[in-house]
Amino acid sequence: MDFQLTDDQRALRAGVRELLAGRFPRERLREAVDRARVVDRGLWRELGAAGFFSLRMPEDAGGAGLGTAEAVLVFEEAGRVLLPGPLVATHLAAGHVEGAAEGEAVVAVAEPGVGGTAMVEYLAQADALLVGTEEGVRLRVLAADAADVADAASAAAQWAVRPVRSVDPLTPLHRVAVGEAGALGPTGGGPIAGVLGLPVGRFRREATLLTAAEQCGSAARTVEMAVEYAGVRHQFGQAIGTFQAVKHLCADMLVRAEMGRTAVYAAAVTGDPQEAAAAKLLADEAAVRNARDCLQVFGGMGFTWEADVHLHLKRAWVRVERFMGAREAEEALAAGLS
Amino acid sequence: MDFQLTDDQRALRAGVRELLAGRFPRERLREAVDRARVVDRGLWRELGAAGFFSLRMPEDAGGAGLGTAEAVLVFEEAGRVLLPGPLVATHLAAGHVEGAAEGEAVVAVAEPGVGGTAMVEYLAQADALLVGTEEGVRLRVLAADAADVADAASAAAQWAVRPVRSVDPLTPLHRVAVGEAGALGPTGGGPIAGVLGLPVGRFRREATLLTAAEQCGSAARTVEMAVEYAGVRHQFGQAIGTFQAVKHLCADMLVRAEMGRTAVYAAAVTGDPQEAAAAKLLADEAAVRNARDCLQVFGGMGFTWEADVHLHLKRAWVRVERFMGAREAEEALAAGLS
Amino acid sequence: MDLDCSEEEEAFRAGLRAWLGEVLPKLPPPPDPSDWPGRRAYDCAWQRMLYDAGYAGLHWPADAGGRGATPTQHLIFLEETERAGAPYVGANFVGLLHAGPTIAAEGTEEQRRRWLPPILRGEEVWCQGFSEPEAGSDLAALRTAAVRDGDAYVVTGSKIWTSHAEVADWCELLVRTDPRAPRHRGISWLAMRMDAPGVTVRPLRTVAGSEEFAEVFLDEVRVPVAHRVGEENDGWRVTMVTLSFERGTAFVGEVVACRRTLGHIAAAARANGRWHDPVLRRRLGRLAAEFSVLWRLTQWNVSEAQRSGPGAVPGPGGSVFKLRYSHARQELYEAAAEVLGGGALDADEEWTNARLSSLSYTIAAGTSQIQKNIVAERILGLPKGP
Amino acid sequence: MDLDCSEEEEAFRAGLRAWLGEVLPKLPPPPDPSDWPGRRAYDCAWQRMLYDAGYAGLHWPADAGGRGATPTQHLIFLEETERAGAPYVGANFVGLLHAGPTIAAEGTEEQRRRWLPPILRGEEVWCQGFSEPEAGSDLAALRTAAVRDGDAYVVTGSKIWTSHAEVADWCELLVRTDPRAPRHRGISWLAMRMDAPGVTVRPLRTVAGSEEFAEVFLDEVRVPVAHRVGEENDGWRVTMVTLSFERGTAFVGEVVACRRTLGHIAAAARANGRWHDPVLRRRLGRLAAEFSVLWRLTQWNVSEAQRSGPGAVPGPGGSVFKLRYSHARQELYEAAAEVLGGGALDADEEWTNARLSSLSYTIAAGTSQIQKNIVAERILGLPKGP
């Protein structure tokens, strides 16, 4: 047993952090927010070239032949810097949807939501859309390379698709109304472009875990932001970080971030579905609550658009709704108790 | 509108506090704990003589002709000093069960619990037992003046009654197994000594509210205890009350106690069942969490039998199980949302 | 303890209700939130209607042009206007609820004559220049400097979190007039015209994406000495005098609104099926208890204020309310988000915006951390930190 | 990152399992909790069995008579013994896990020869005299005084929270040898015989009603200078050296036990119908996540210790674990109480006692408040308070 990062894993993490610092520094984040440039095709290709999407593909297929443990490290880094785009879907589609591995294709994914509707991320920007069905065990590529996936999806499946103003400025959303609750997408008919060679259970588990990894990156980043601000902001003649109330907020944040990270790493190593559920549960909580506590530490400054805190909170909210929610996770974990 | 204590109410509260300080000072509490003197007949009569039980009976029936608002003030004081005995049941039985008003009779009450069993307080000490049935709208006195209510109840109703070692040293308990879940006590047969002239709905509402009042008294007392200790206990060269972490624990305690108290007073004034549910919910939380926070402030000293903190916590646990629990209260409140 | 209104109070309520029933249907539609001049005009027209009907400055003392109403009447006013869906105080907030009462309490006869009637009639709008980027929770750290130059102060600095700055005529301004005095001593209270040379307003975008607040930059703005209320360097006391002026009524409308919103959330949950989830249902039941009791606590605090009269030291109720309400409001919109599910990500959902805005409640007007210090030290008497 | 055991580790596990399967069925029934001599005898007999089988002092260095096992082997040992229901370390806790390692690290050759073998063989029992009534979280405030008199110290004072004091042969004692030195400087570490004249033990009753701890009163107890470990006035450092000795393994058995208990709680809920309540069910699911991850965090911390070797500065994992585990344990037994309903009021219910005992977890060995200070200052680097 050696449940610590290997040297290679540390190097990978450092490399990805450096890459993202160069390609997606804070100025670029704020620029993307201001100009609503949600998927930057150039950046997408750069990510592809850097192996972001093909990471786990076999080396003979052009990938890096790495595993889930490495993938979560990479997605953690993406979460830290709020890297936009349908990273999880495109990563999971690599090797299954043409162009995904190279960052040539942008791939979105639809999953069931409440009341027969689903929020689908990046639908209008996507080249391909993955649709999970409850009955099937496969994922279907509905409209690969369609010029306008949103229109195509709508027309083909007779879905009611409408864009919504997303709470997160970097995650555009469409609300998709589904005919039957729980069964997303057409069960028959419509132009099915292909079938993904990936069992739906594994797809969901990996998507859940990679999303949790992003949450952990964000949670770790907001701890750093809070600690840094608490060290420089002065009130009552001293740095606010000298006050126990602020100290304890920060300590609680660290605990959440570390628990979430441990859960994600463990689930990545074991591949256990229960551990993936635990990881999503704890990572969601860490990302959301840390962002809120960070905002509290920032005080009024945290309530401004100019601070990045709200971007972390809003993205965390988006990810909470993605794949496995608290109810599903807790019920799955309870079912595993004997 | 004048939602403040009247002068008479303030005087009543001061009078009860003085009475209890004289008749049931801390030394007597600790003596009762050490000797397991759970119902002191002498004290019971003194309480009766002071009008504790007959408070709300009409003046021409020997009562004080006061209302629920005054009753909750009195029960709050009882909760402060951890006065033992089936105060709520005996108070509600006054005027209905002989001797209850005067403190000559000790009256216990049984209500349904989980899995067809109920915890009944002071069964072996009681002269009379009130039994609520689900179908009926009345309360029945099963065995007034029986020498051994526990035995009588057991024999008469063919209940399985067994004493348990109570977590609260001053609240003896019997576990009573009930034939059908939800229907406590015999629906027919057995020596029914009488029928209480009090609708069961009103009885339950008032019992809930008086229990909540006791919880509030305990919650307020543990705030005082924590604050006092935080002012005298020194660590790291200063009173621990100078540390923000301790300050904020105490502030949170005060907020809970004041919210609970406000809820109880409001429910007492309006008689509204939803407000009684809210009062029990908030008072339970205030009593339990304040006792736990008080124990945390006391640190190791709070973990000793000699400190009174654990007595507050244990009694609060007992009262949480009595009448309306969180699930019932929250569901009732939700049902009231339109 | 009594929660019923007296005959006189009921008569007041009935009269108000009748009037509201008459005038509200005739109101024009409210302006777009981004239309500041339109909002000012709308709010001021409503204030003029209140003035003409005798409801302006309800809780102001009679000698300041108000009606000298009791706290209970003020509570009834706020409750009924909220229930009826009447316009909010809006642009007149600072004038009616802070600057005006401060002038009424501490101003000279001439200052009162000059400034109070236009506030009551909805003719002049005030904004507040207290907070600064480096003086938030620690307001007494403010650094905006006022240097005496003849019969004027020359003011330089910046203020933040100012509402309605774009359309205000006046700003109640806290400035440092003695930089060498102890923090709380060298502060003065000035009334500054917003169209004075050197005043620049820059809208401040919040996390909700809206621009309800502004920063106000002051570059050698001349403010006549005659526009100082109270003595020079006595501005801290002058300001604090008015802070207890609300006497428990500050959040009446909000609590009424939250209870209504909770009902709507429950209805939405019933409509979309989430109601069948006991975890959510109990969460909503818990919130029902919370807001029910917060409403009772409001009545408790108002009753206390009514009994003790103006100027009395308030009990713990106000701080308890503030701590608990700010948290409950956040919880309310978290529950709303759970009901909405993915729909909570739609920024056009009213509750989504309210969820974001609610984040300021544990920060603004004293963070919850500061509030707990106050409770612990001033109410519970714990020793101040080292 | 790797959670699988190596071949060598698996072989160790298999050997241990085989031995446990052989010896455990032959153990006599455990003594009554109130029978202190019986408990000592039972615990010491078990220790002797471990010794004879080569498992005594597994994680002690080889030159101290231990097996110099890796942290992972130690984790496997604790996991397997807990899973198999083997006896706890019990009366040998202080000797094996604190006093012994301290002597091993800081004692003279003679001291090591004198004290270590009887600990490993289960022949001598140690207790700990660190905390005092006025020195809890602030251990360095201890006041028990040791005055040099020839070749002995004369010790006077009192200690609290001492386990197994009634049956211990030795007490590792922190005393103040220089009252004028700065708090952490004037402390020394002594080994005191519990049968020395002047030692009085008084059982201390806890909120759970049991007497697991004692107060120890010291009235001019003579302790030979030769029984001091480390230099005079260097006792603080001597003690702290051993505090990181556990290297992440301190709660291995407890976490394994908690996970088993959670399963039993779920089974009880299924049996009595509470399982149908989604609020409770989800609460249990949440706890399953919590303890699953706490188990992984244990493995993380042990792996870190294994990599970095003895004496390295541990990462944040230990503090994170302590803060989260103490809370999770309390939550576990709150959930148990919810399952039991009224049955949770029965003091003979195992979970009711555990609920009470769990209250000490956020207090003992550094309150959660102190732990958070440590995390904030030492790990996050926030400035120390004024």
Side-chain angles (χ1 to χ4, degrees), chain A:
Chain A
M1 185 188 76
D2 181 30
F3 189 37
Q4 290 277 303
L5 299 198
T6 63
D7 289 343
D8 283 352
Q9 287 168 339
R10 282 178 205 274
L12 172 70
R13 184 171 66 177
V16 173
R17 189 171 296 190
E18 195 183 353
L19 172 82
L20 292 175
R23 299 285 200 278
F24 196 69
R26 180 169 188 267
E27 308 82 68
R28 197 148 168 193
L29 167 70
R30 297 305 313 203
E31 194 186 289
V33 168
D34 290 343
R35 303 194 192 165
R37 288 188 63 183
V38 289
V39 180
D40 177 333
R41 290 283 177 168
L43 178 60
W44 208 248
R45 284 188 201 98
E46 289 183 72
L47 292 172
F52 197 99
F53 303 120
S54 60
L55 191 73
R56 294 188 299 153
M57 288 167 62
E59 290 184 63
D60 55 22
L66 297 173
T68 309
E70 286 73 24
V72 297
L73 294 176
V74 170
F75 275 77
E76 211 184 333
E77 294 304 314
R80 278 180 65 87
V81 299
L82 293 168
L83 188 64
L87 299 162
V88 172
T90 305
H91 176 95
L92 288 173
H96 304 283
V97 173
E98 205 182 317
E102 301 77 18
E104 294 295 331
V106 171
V107 183
V109 61
E111 34 156 10
V114 72
T117 70
M119 286 296 202
V120 180
E121 302 174 17
Y122 305 98
L123 188 59
Q125 287 78 24
D127 301 305
L129 175 66
L130 309 178
V131 183
T133 68
E134 289 294 316
E135 300 124 15
V137 289
R138 302 276 157 179
L139 283 155
R140 294 189 271 184
V141 178
L142 182 69
D145 293 324
D148 187 339
V149 177
D151 280 353
S154 179
Q158 295 169 312
W159 289 354
V161 174
R162 73 172 176 81
V164 300
R165 196 164 67 83
S166 169
V167 72
D168 175 18
L170 292 181
T171 311
L173 296 169
H174 282 74
R175 194 189 290 260
V176 179
V178 181
E180 299 162 81
L184 224 189
T187 49
I192 306 296
V195 175
L196 220 63
L198 194 60
V200 74
R202 190 176 134 204
F203 177 88
R204 275 183 58 83
R205 188 169 74 242
E206 291 181 350
T208 298
L209 190 54
L210 295 177
T211 300
E214 291 183 294
Q215 294 286 54
C216 286
S218 174
R221 179 70 193 121
T222 48
V223 185
E224 291 173 8
M225 288 162 65
V227 168
E228 191 190 328
Y229 191 77
V232 298
R233 170 77 173 175
H234 282 64
Q235 290 280 271
F236 305 103
Q238 57 202 76
I240 61 171
T242 56
F243 296 113
Q244 266 190 350
V246 173
K247 282 199 171 105
H248 290 194
L249 274 175
C250 293
D252 287 339
M253 291 171 73
L254 182 77
V255 169
R256 280 186 218 114
E258 292 291 326
M259 285 289 286
R261 189 201 305 257
T262 305
V264 166
Y265 291 175
V269 170
T270 64
D272 179 64
Q274 300 265 349
E275 297 208 47
K280 184 64 167 32
L281 186 65
L282 267 59
D284 280 348
E285 179 187 283
V288 171
R289 293 193 57 188
N290 277 17
R292 288 187 60 176
D293 281 356
C294 182
L295 200 150
Q296 187 71 20
V297 170
F298 270 66
M301 291 302 133
F303 197 63
T304 64
W305 187 266
E306 279 65 37
D308 293 346
V309 194
H310 71 104
L311 300 174
H312 280 278
L313 178 60
K314 290 166 177 175
R315 192 74 67 88
W317 282 350
V318 168
R319 295 192 202 102
V320 162
E321 296 298 327
R322 193 196 290 166
F323 299 106
M324 189 177 253
R327 182 173 15 183
E328 192 185 344
E330 286 170 349
E331 288 286 9
L333 286 154
L337 284 173
S338 56

Side-chain angles (χ1 to χ4, degrees), chain B residues 229-247:
Chain B
Y229 190 76
V232 299
R233 170 76 172 175
H234 281 64
Q235 290 283 272
F236 305 102
Q238 56 201 79
I240 61 171
T242 57
F243 297 114
Q244 266 191 350
V246 174
K247 281 199 172 101

